[in-house]
Amino acid sequence: MVTPVVPMGMAQVFGYVLKHHMRAYSFQAAAQNAAKKASGLKMTDMATDPRIFLSIDNCFASKRWTRPSEWIRLIRSMGVRFIEASADNECDPLYCSKEYLSDWIREVNEASLAHGAQIANVYSGHGTYSTLGLTHTDPRNREHMLRNWLKPMADIASGLSAGIGFYCHAFADAVLQDPAAYTEMEHELYGSLAEMAEYCAELGIPASGVEQMYSPHQIPWTVKGAEKLLKSVQAICGRPFYLTIDTGHQTGQRRFLKPSCDQIKEFARRIRTGQGAQSLPLWLGSSSAYRLFDELAAESGASEDERIEQLLQDFDRHPHLFAEYEDGDPYIWLETLGSYSPIVHLQQTDGFASAHRPFNAENNGKGIIDGAEVLRAIARAYGREHADGLPPRCAEVYLTLEIFAGTSQTNQAVLRGMRSSVDYWRKLVPQDGMNLSELISLLPNRREFE
């Protein structure tokens, strides 16, 4: 169980994290070390026109085409050279033996050479997504995830000369409800990510990063929160650490907007009078806020304003439970942080669920993801002024199709969805390695769903 602590200042926070991870330098020394290391980075924060590559995550092949020669051959037959290898497709260090993984790396490299493919990145899958992982309430499990999963995954990436992205943490509700415990666990996470960034840099891995999500218990889930995470990790270790933006991971944030006083009053009135309160659902954040609201709904008159003021104060004590409206817009994420996202996961979505649908005619007709607008939004990100404390801008971006296959889907249906997705995106990225400005110059002057 996490022991509540008094909220710390930033210098104390970083000092705590560094001490926890057995780092023997002070916060001031860490900051100096960060500046020194950052000055030697090969990637430059002056990058304004990245090279763009189309890639496929091989999660679609899980439990179907599992040998490296099978999924590499399939992906190459679709006209895609660059591949993201998912841990779900038989290379998860928690499930696979070291001997097997050693052979797996060899087989991947041999098949890549034989078919003219390249593993651009390795990525986590559902296995580690389903646990508290790096923010587990038991420190032994946090350490286990870092030592026995994340670092072995980095070893795999190094063996493939690939980058790495992952998501393997979540905050238990007891932590979310306690602001002090949340602050402690948040900085525990930053320390672990910094250790991972340092480890990846020592292995020569070109880029490492975490995926953005869309609910309070899985950070980063807001644009500001993502910026804070990137800055915090780099400040601790002096190594760049990046984000993966997913075009379907903005479907939850607008369920967690902070309500206005008028909305609170109206919701309470409907409950009090039995006039269908469910037609005006509100997110109030903490359990204590819901208890205060129950008291408000049972009362009226002079005490109403007092209860609302108490609610507003509770909101202020739990800012991590609320999003802004803009956090639910994939294009806002891309135009704000797209230059710090070396991997962009592509899925079609209707804006209500992250179903990882393919880009076929049916889904595109009702979807909100337009490829031309994705490219334009990323270009706007590179046109923004570089903010102090963020990692260097990415010189390369892998637009990576992350399409899920349903358990009962036939092989033929799965492959049709993949091929239609490649066809859609190949029109926008006709050749890998083209500069973003070149791709933008080829775009039509309108939104188009095909």
Side-chain angles (χ1 to χ4, degrees):
M1 181 175 294
V2 176
T3 302
V5 296
V6 177
M8 299 178 284
M10 286 305 294
Q12 292 171 301
V13 164
F14 286 121
Y16 161 79
V17 175
L18 295 173
K19 180 179 179 182
H20 182 78
H21 286 281
M22 302 180 69
R23 299 186 182 278
Y25 42 82
S26 66
F27 174 69
Q28 182 178 7
Q32 293 171 346
N33 192 34
K36 180 179 179 181
K37 290 181 178 178
S39 66
L41 292 170
K42 292 184 179 180
M43 297 182 73
T44 171
D45 61 5
M46 299 301 291
T48 58
D49 196 13
R51 298 172 68 209
I52 306 297
F53 301 83
L54 185 60
S55 176
I56 288 180
D57 187 298
N58 71 351
C59 62
F60 78 92
S62 297
K63 300 183 181 180
R64 299 173 191 261
W65 304 284
T66 60
R67 295 185 65 87
S69 59
E70 294 173 339
W71 48 263
I72 289 175
R73 175 183 55 78
L74 268 178
I75 291 172
R76 287 298 286 128
S77 73
M78 299 174 192
V80 174
R81 176 186 174 193
F82 298 94
I83 300 172
E84 181 173 278
S86 169
D88 281 343
N89 202 341
E90 308 305 327
C91 65
D92 192 310
L94 291 183
Y95 308 142
C96 303
S97 70
K98 291 181 180 179
E99 295 77 15
Y100 164 84
L101 286 173
S102 178
D103 289 343
W104 183 89
I105 291 171
R106 175 182 52 77
E107 290 179 20
V108 170
N109 285 327
E110 290 175 353
S112 296
L113 182 62
H115 294 282
Q118 179 178 329
I119 308 303
N121 296 288
V122 299
Y123 223 93
S124 59
H126 277 114
T128 48
Y129 178 79
S130 62
T131 176
L132 296 178
L134 291 178
T135 47
H136 200 284
T137 51
D138 190 313
R140 293 171 298 183
N141 280 354
R142 298 197 294 267
E143 185 73 7
H144 176 68
M145 181 62 72
L146 180 63
R147 304 295 175 200
N148 299 322
W149 187 80
L150 263 180
K151 290 188 175 181
M153 278 293 290
D155 294 337
I156 292 173
S158 177
L160 300 173
S161 300
I164 184 172
F166 56 88
Y167 197 89
C168 56
H169 65 269
F171 290 75
D173 188 66
V175 176
L176 292 177
Q177 301 300 328
D178 185 332
Y182 178 85
T183 297
E184 180 182 8
M185 191 65 81
E186 180 185 20
H187 292 286
E188 171 79 24
L189 173 64
Y190 294 163
S192 295
L193 296 180
E195 185 172 340
M196 181 63 176
E198 180 80 24
Y199 187 74
C200 289
E202 291 171 354
L203 290 176
I205 292 173
S208 61
V210 70
E211 192 163 19
Q212 52 90 202
M213 293 294 166
Y214 44 101
S215 60
H217 70 298
Q218 298 189 122
I219 68 170
W221 70 298
T222 66
V223 173
K224 290 181 180 178
E227 291 177 339
K228 178 183 178 183
L229 183 149
L230 296 182
K231 290 180 179 180
S232 297
V233 172
Q234 179 154 300
I236 294 170
C237 67
R239 301 291 191 177
F241 187 75
Y242 291 96
L243 191 68
T244 296
I245 296 175
D246 188 304
T247 60
H249 284 190
Q250 298 78 28
T251 56
Q253 286 89 334
R254 290 175 183 171
R255 300 173 188 173
F256 304 100
L257 303 179
K258 189 180 299 182
S260 68
C261 291
D262 288 342
Q263 287 175 318
I264 295 171
K265 288 181 180 180
E266 176 62 14
F267 195 35
R269 184 191 65 80
R270 293 191 185 187
I271 289 180
R272 195 178 297 128
T273 59
Q275 295 181 6
Q278 292 305 315
S279 63
L280 187 65
L282 293 183
W283 169 246
L284 300 176
S286 70
S287 298
S288 56
Y290 279 93
R291 288 193 294 270
L292 285 169
F293 180 81
D294 288 341
E295 294 172 4
L296 170 64
E299 301 173 356
S300 61
S303 63
E304 184 176 59
D305 289 341
E306 180 181 345
R307 292 296 187 196
I308 289 178
E309 179 60 30
Q310 291 174 342
L311 271 172
L312 296 180
Q313 292 174 3
D314 194 273
F315 295 167
D316 290 341
R317 286 194 298 271
H318 300 85
H320 54 279
L321 297 179
F322 297 98
E324 300 291 339
Y325 188 82
E326 292 76 13
D327 294 319
D329 186 332
Y331 300 108
I332 294 293
W333 278 87
L334 289 167
E335 71 181 29
T336 306
L337 294 171
S339 58
Y340 309 106
S341 182
I343 304 168
V344 175
H345 280 163
L346 302 173
Q347 59 163 304
Q348 187 56 278
T349 174
D350 58 7
F352 297 101
S354 177
H356 289 262
R357 297 188 178 103
F359 290 85
N360 58 27
E362 178 183 1
N363 293 331
N364 293 342
K366 56 189 178 185
I368 65 169
I369 301 304
D370 175 81
E373 293 303 309
V374 167
L375 292 178
R376 291 188 179 106
I378 296 173
R380 290 195 292 273
Y382 280 87
R384 295 168 65 96
E385 184 177 352
H386 177 72
D388 290 341
L390 286 172
R393 290 190 176 109
C394 303
E396 297 180 346
V397 175
Y398 289 87
L399 300 178
T400 304
L401 290 161
E402 190 183 35
I403 309 301
F404 290 173
T407 301
S408 62
Q409 273 189 292
T410 65
N411 289 352
Q412 291 73 23
V414 171
L415 295 178
R416 278 197 303 272
M418 294 305 303
R419 291 191 174 107
S420 66
S421 299
V422 172
D423 290 345
Y424 177 87
W425 281 94
R426 247 326 155 213
K427 294 175 183 177
L428 297 160
V429 187
Q431 182 177 328
D432 292 310
M434 292 179 66
N435 290 102
L436 180 58
S437 61
E438 296 178 83
L439 299 180
I440 295 292
S441 71
L442 299 176
L443 295 178
N445 293 319
R446 61 183 178 85
R447 287 175 60 91
E448 61 177 23
F449 290 94
E450 299 177 2

